[in-house]
Amino acid sequence: MYFFYYIPVGLDVERRRQTFLTWFLAVFCTIIYLVTRYAPVGSWWNVYNLVFIPLDPSPATAVAHLFVHAGWFHLAGNMVYLLVFGRAVEDRLGAVPFVLVFALSAMAGAYTHVLFGHLFSPAMLEYGIVGASGATSGLLGAFLVRFWYGRIDVAWWVFMPLQGVNRAGRSGVPVFVAIVVWAGLQALQAVLQFGEGGLRVAYGVHVGGFAAGALLAVLFGAAREARVERILVKARRHVRRAEWFAARAEFADYLERRPGEPVIHLEAARASVCGGDAGAVRYHYVEAIRAALRRRERSEAEDAFIEGMRHIEGFSLAERLHLDLACGMERSLRFRGAMMAYANFVGRYPRSAETPFVLLRMAGLLERRDEDPAGALRCLRRIADRYPDDPWVDFAVKEARRIETTCVVLGPGPEAKHLETG
């Protein structure tokens, strides 16, 4: 005698957006269950009208039956599968394809049950069908097509009282293995069920829903997207293993197919930093900044710029772009990043017509934000010494005199003496 229970509890899938529809469907199914359990018949409705009757099938009940459940365990099992796999499917396929997979898989599962009944076991047609098993099986099929390369975290419990075994744990299982084994078990159960009476679980519904979900995912382009994303997954696995050369090759392959993703350029830049490829580091940081700006994600572009300056000494961009981001960071109160960008600009473009203006900005930040009048004074004197014909010279000289006067008034400390002597 033995018992083996398992349930999926997590995925190694990174979600990119909120999955409101999955949560809505889970809450809606729970509300319908509570209503049908405690008030199955009302003055204006009857829950039995939602049950799918194989002897009298209809498209309406083929969808409606997925919201009705026979008990708490029936509901809980389907909702676990919906939340674990549905969020990933909705995230990658989008809201409309997700709803179509969910609803059409339920319909396909119901009519597959009717077909199996007529072909092999007419006695099965006497029992009404309820539950979201067909719909969640469809999500499993779609998940297999889209994420066949991933892993599923499975919580399990083995209880063998006669052998004195009682173990539980959590293990990572490859998606392809876990779901294909599950689908095979459902098909086997459906075959063994033929000719039996007292039907409790309609395994044919699982088989039909799974097949429909997989087919719909292929039609929505999930297989093509899976091939591309698998490259990114391999790159990240190489990073976790500190295999920098292999990671950079996979990132390059992915970005060749999807060049406009700033986050992936950043990951490639970090892998290149660890791999010691300075040219690749600079290239990926520049591309990350440009890609973020094309998406109008200015804050992300500034983050990438700051990170690039930390990893590359004197990191700079094209003159106009560099100055635009530097001034933008100052406006958004990111003063440390702005100072780094201003200093790199002066070092990279000493002959630019904008360099005196940049030195003025640096002087202002040094005096007001860093309380470093000596540093501010050096920036102002640099304008007067190196750019004597610039329109900002007169203003810089006045500011330098003001700072010198202020520091002398504050007292004859070491800093004031330094400023007086120049």
Side-chain angles (χ1 to χ4, degrees), residues 255-411:
L255 288 168
E256 186 177 349
R257 303 163 189 256
R258 298 283 189 276
E261 297 189 20
V263 173
I264 309 306
H265 275 293
L266 284 177
E267 293 186 45
R270 294 161 190 159
S272 299
V273 168
C274 296
D277 189 343
V281 174
R282 174 178 170 75
Y283 167 77
H284 286 298
Y285 276 123
V286 171
E287 290 302 311
I289 294 166
R290 290 175 175 171
L293 290 174
R294 283 195 295 269
R295 294 185 174 197
R296 298 185 179 180
E297 298 172 350
R298 189 175 183 86
S299 178
E300 287 73 11
E302 292 175 358
D303 289 339
F305 191 19
I306 292 172
E307 185 176 322
M309 289 188 291
R310 289 172 178 166
H311 284 137
I312 304 174
E313 184 177 358
F315 178 63
S316 60
L317 302 169
E319 182 177 342
R320 184 173 298 179
L321 176 60
H322 190 120
L323 189 57
D324 177 60
L325 285 173
C327 293
M329 284 189 282
E330 184 179 357
R331 287 192 298 270
S332 58
L333 308 183
R334 306 177 75 169
F335 300 115
R336 184 168 296 180
M339 276 297 298
M340 292 171 62
Y342 285 146
N344 286 1
F345 183 92
V346 172
R348 175 67 177 82
Y349 300 106
R351 298 181 181 279
S352 170
E354 300 294 339
T355 301
F357 170 76
V358 171
L359 288 168
L360 279 177
R361 302 308 309 163
M362 292 177 65
L365 290 175
L366 286 167
E367 181 188 7
R368 295 190 296 272
R369 298 296 308 178
D370 297 344
E371 298 182 354
D372 182 8
L377 189 58
R378 285 193 293 271
C379 290
L380 295 171
R381 285 176 175 169
R382 186 172 181 177
I383 297 173
D385 293 341
R386 300 191 181 184
Y387 308 96
D389 298 327
D390 192 86
W392 287 107
V393 168
D394 291 341
F395 178 78
V397 170
K398 291 179 181 178
E399 286 294 293
R401 289 173 181 170
R402 178 185 61 79
I403 292 175
E404 290 175 338
T405 303
T406 302
C407 290
V408 171
V409 170
L410 288 175

Side-chain angles (χ1 to χ4, degrees), residues 214-251:
L215 177 61
L216 287 168
V218 171
L219 294 177
F220 289 133
R224 181 180 63 255
E225 293 297 320
R227 287 193 295 270
V228 176
E229 188 165 338
R230 178 173 178 264
I231 299 171
L232 180 59
V233 170
K234 290 171 62 179
R236 288 169 173 168
R237 287 175 181 169
H238 286 308
V239 168
R240 288 195 291 270
R241 298 168 187 162
E243 298 168 350
W244 309 118
F245 183 81
R248 285 156 50 197
E250 297 294 348
F251 279 127

Side-chain angles (χ1 to χ4, degrees), residues 25 29 66-67 82 97-106 132 134-136 139:
L25 288 170
C29 286
L66 74 87
F67 298 107
L82 171 60
F98 167 75
V99 171
L100 290 175
V101 168
F102 192 71
L104 294 179
S105 296
T136 54
L139 295 179

